[in-house]
């Protein structure tokens, strides 16, 4: 939706301020975000830690990504709480 696009652009802008290059992508899978989207709530998925090996024995995350992802989510929540989209 238009609001999801606005939310992604906000995340991309804030990520850029942190030196992150956020790209739009799809995974072909499902997540809890699907429930929010089905209710019409603008939702972003994939904001968590960076890693690899989804749902496999070698699944892992990069510890180095935790602080930057937490900073991004913090900026998003702060912006949305204070000004909205």
């Amino acid at each position: 939706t238009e609001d999801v696009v606005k939310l992604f652009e906000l995340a991309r802008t804030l990520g850029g301020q942190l030196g992150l290059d956020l790209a739009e992508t799809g995974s072909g899978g499902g997540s809890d975000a699907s429930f929010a989207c089905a209710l019409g709530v603008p939702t972003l998925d994939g904001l968590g830690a960076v890693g690899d090996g989804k749902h496999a024995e070698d699944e892992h995350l990069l510890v180095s990504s935790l602080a930057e992802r937490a900073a991004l989510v913090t900026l998003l929540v702060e912006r949305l709480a204070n000004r909205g989209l």
Side-chain angles (χ1 to χ4, degrees):
T1 66
E2 183 179 319
D3 284 340
V4 173
V5 171
K6 287 180 187 177
L7 185 56
F8 174 69
E9 290 303 324
L10 175 59
R12 178 181 257 179
T13 297
L14 296 173
Q17 294 172 9
L18 298 169
L20 301 174
D21 183 20
L22 301 181
E24 183 178 0
T25 186
S27 67
S31 75
D32 292 342
S34 300
F35 294 110
C37 285
L39 295 173
V41 177
T43 306
L44 297 178
D45 198 4
L47 292 175
V50 176
D52 205 2
K54 291 184 250 182
H55 311 296
E57 287 185 27
D58 65 340
E59 180 176 13
H60 63 277
L61 63 85
L62 301 176
V63 173
S64 60
S65 72
L66 295 177
E68 64 189 18
R69 292 302 178 131
L72 174 59
V73 171
T74 299
L75 288 176
L76 271 169
V77 170
E78 180 181 60
R79 169 67 184 269
L80 293 171
N82 290 324
R83 292 179 252 160
L85 287 175

